[in-house]
Amino acid sequence: QVQLVESGGGLVQAGDSLRLSCAASGDTTCISSMGWYRQGPGKERDLVATITSGGSTDYADFVKGRFTISRDNAKNTVYLQMNSLKPEDTAVYYCNAIGWRRFAREEYWGQGTQVTVSS
């Protein structure tokens, strides 16, 4: 199994930056991709960014040019660098991982970390 632990959330002002971290442990060799999702008050959980084991990235339109997803393979950690934060970025941010074990797809989620951006 895979365990995901997020950190780095907090309360910041509009225009500030934060870096979220997601540390993966357990059977991390099965992970094919990881990503960040967020869920704001009264909203659905939306994709923010993803990164594959090969390093390919994808971003939601509302964060392109502001957020960067990256990974440190040595530390089994994925990061989300968030710049130029806006109040509408306020949400609980969740780390996600997709793994494949004996051709079966497995999905893992972290506990979430709160990001609050004040105006």
Side-chain angles (χ1 to χ4, degrees), residues 21-118:
S21 298
C22 175
S25 61
D27 189 11
T28 59
T29 59
C30 74
I31 297 175
S32 61
S33 66
M34 298 184 68
W36 290 93
Y37 292 71
R38 73 185 190 186
Q39 186 169 18
K43 299 181 179 179
E44 297 181 351
R45 186 174 298 188
D46 295 324
L47 170 70
V48 176
T50 61
I51 185 167
T52 69
S53 59
S56 298
T57 59
D58 192 25
Y59 297 91
D61 288 340
F62 53 82
V63 302
K64 286 183 177 179
R66 299 189 298 124
F67 292 8
T68 302
I69 188 171
S70 61
R71 66 192 305 164
D72 186 335
N73 292 331
K75 297 181 179 180
N76 292 316
T77 301
V78 172
Y79 304 95
L80 184 68
Q81 179 66 45
M82 305 185 295
N83 298 326
S84 302
L85 284 164
K86 306 174 181 179
E88 48 263 48
D89 294 321
T90 296
V92 177
Y93 285 72
Y94 297 91
C95 182
N96 166 268
I98 302 296
W100 292 87
R101 189 188 304 275
R102 286 195 171 186
F103 312 108
R105 182 180 182 273
E106 299 180 349
E107 188 170 22
Y108 307 93
W109 293 93
Q111 79 286 351
T113 184
Q114 177 70 46
V115 173
T116 302
V117 184
S118 63

